[in-house]
Amino acid sequence: MDRFKIQGGRRLEGEVRISGAKNAALPAMAASLLTAEAVHLKNIPHVRDIITMAKLLAHMRCKVESPDIPPSEFVIRAESVSHAEAPYELVKTMRASVLTLGPLVARFGYARVSLPGGCSIGARPIDMHIQALEKLGATISVDHGYVEARATRLHGAVFRFPKITVTGTENILTAAVLAEGETVLENCALEPEIPDLAALLVKMGAKIEGAGTPTIRVQGVDRLHAATHTIIPDRIEAGTFLVAGAITGGELLLKHCEPQHLTAVIEKLKECGVEIKCEGKGGLRVRAAKKLVAADVNTEEYPGFATDMQAQFMALATQAHGISHIRETIFENRYLHASEMVRMGANILVDGNTAVITGPAQLSGAPVTASDLRASAGLVLAALVASNTTWIDRVYHIDRGYEQIELKLTALGASIERVTQQS
Ligand code: EPZ
């Protein structure tokens, strides 16, 4: 198992290229199941969740090819799918495997997907995915830990999501495009990954209006065809590098990002005193605050402040003057990084869904354990300002969603090393 050894206290400086968005690439890859023709996806990040999705598609007998190594593009052909099944072994390592449910039942009339179960950040049920597919005419049974969905052909329907769900919206959108008639989805997620998925589906021949608004209308078509699509930049990776520049007293230029997708994060960092400005096409320059000041954050659905940036903001708040309050409203257990930051010397009190951070605290290196993807990013950021050496265990979590983070940080002047332990 790999660990990171980080020597803190270095100011980061330079340019960093932001990768394609993992959470946009995953539904796009699942959407390739909707056609027998080639779907060509560009700007794919080389992260572990993407490799898992490629393995899952290959398990279903799709052809997944890439012109380069490591792959930054995929050409996926789902001519015939012989196993319409997402097995437990793959779903347990990546919940987003559930995104194959909608496309499989829409095109093949059958899907069997392992129930994801809970994970370290919360219970994370998929009840709304199931309810919506039933509304579209699928017969669903849940047995032996698997969801089985059957339909001769899905039909259009009106469905209102009782609560906003990102992958729920994506799963049902990718089912509705091949359903007979009109589907109206209400209370949809607004995250930029949704209009990106819709853009790919429209290139494949789908008829969709309103993606990126609460109401999405879909006129089902009989078949979809080949398409080429470039995945949007990763707004969470970009947000993480904004914090990296700010927390180390540095100055960074982020390239190939989409500043419009980062409005809430940029506003919050500016409130803390961080200087951020757009530079050229897809460029964002971050310059650390002269004096970092505390700010309060509520995590919210897009366009609010993303839960996926909460751990990184907490690391920054440990260095800010004053008291910051964070309220996590999306997941019920997303503070596992807080106790690890406390072990590094942070002053953080967690009460229910609220964390109170008093700063600035002089962090000192300690052995810590990563509990999930964004928690690991928060710990890396904290380690970058800690004195002495921090060892972070279980960095496989960070490999799920950050492309070569240690190489990108090293190029900016950080001292971070991957150490592979012999088991
Ligand atoms: C997506 O997860 C992202 N994953 C998550 O990113 C992100 O944290 C989350 O959206 C919120 O922005 C991908 O896009 C692959 P939800 P998702 O359904 O879709 C509850 C990362 O670090 N809910 O929007 O699974 C759920 O428990 C990851 O990259 C139900 O109750 O999240 C949660 O409390 C982590 N029933 C809330 O809704 C359902 O059927 C929002 O979850 C579905 C969800």
Side-chain angles (χ1 to χ4, degrees), residues 35-176:
T35 176
E37 297 181 22
V39 174
H40 187 164
L41 300 174
K42 299 182 177 181
N43 202 28
I44 295 279
H46 186 55
V47 298
R48 203 161 59 95
D49 275 6
I50 294 294
I51 297 166
T52 306
M53 182 59 94
K55 273 191 196 157
L56 177 58
L57 295 176
H59 166 86
M60 292 172 179
R61 306 282 187 266
C62 299
K63 283 193 195 129
V64 184
E65 291 167 344
S66 180
D68 51 1
I69 299 174
S72 65
E73 297 185 15
F74 278 136
V75 179
I76 304 171
R77 284 185 190 81
E79 278 163 31
S80 59
V81 165
S82 54
H83 290 63
E85 176 177 314
Y88 177 63
E89 289 65 39
L90 291 171
V91 177
K92 78 173 179 199
T93 62
M94 188 192 62
R95 302 176 50 84
S97 311
V98 79
L99 284 166
T100 56
L101 186 63
L104 284 175
V105 71
R107 178 159 162 230
F108 301 102
Y110 177 72
R112 188 166 185 267
V113 173
S114 172
L115 270 176
C119 75
S120 64
I121 63 175
R124 303 184 74 186
I126 57 160
D127 54 319
M128 292 189 279
H129 302 227
I130 292 175
Q131 281 168 30
L133 281 177
E134 283 178 336
K135 199 76 193 281
L136 263 60
T139 306
I140 301 205
S141 59
V142 180
D143 240 339
H144 305 294
Y146 277 80
V147 184
E148 247 183 38
R150 291 173 196 274
T152 37
R153 182 171 179 193
L154 296 176
H155 57 70
V158 177
F159 182 80
R160 182 175 180 81
F161 289 99
K163 185 176 173 184
I164 292 174
T165 162
V166 177
T167 49
T169 303
E170 292 162 351
N171 221 347
I172 306 313
L173 176 60
T174 45

Side-chain angles (χ1 to χ4, degrees), residues 22-23 49 120-121 236 308 311-312 334 370-378 396-402:
K22 162 187 85 85
N23 288 348
D49 275 6
S120 64
I121 63 175
I236 307 300
D308 289 347
Q312 301 88 318
R334 212 174 191 182
S371 54
D372 76 76
L373 168 56
R374 308 303 171 187
S376 338
Y396 59 84
H397 285 296
I398 209 162
D399 295 335
R400 291 186 48 197
Y402 287 87

Side-chain angles (χ1 to χ4, degrees), residues 166-235:
V166 177
T167 49
T169 303
E170 292 162 351
N171 221 347
I172 306 313
L173 176 60
T174 45
V177 288
L178 285 183
E180 191 169 9
E182 183 180 66
T183 299
V184 181
L185 301 175
E186 294 171 350
N187 200 28
C188 293
L190 309 182
E191 271 69 1
E193 293 75 26
I194 311 281
D196 195 49
L197 172 63
L200 165 65
L201 293 168
V202 167
K203 288 177 192 167
M204 292 166 72
K207 296 190 175 146
I208 302 169
E209 275 173 25
T213 75
T215 303
I216 303 181
R217 281 177 191 276
V218 183
Q219 302 293 334
V221 296
D222 291 339
R223 52 195 301 127
L224 295 173
H225 52 70
T228 298
H229 183 68
T230 302
I231 301 294
I232 53 171
D234 196 313
R235 63 197 165 97

Side-chain angles (χ1 to χ4, degrees), residues 351-367:
D351 182 12
N353 72 348
T354 303
V356 182
I357 303 109
T358 307
Q362 172 60 57
L363 302 184
S364 59

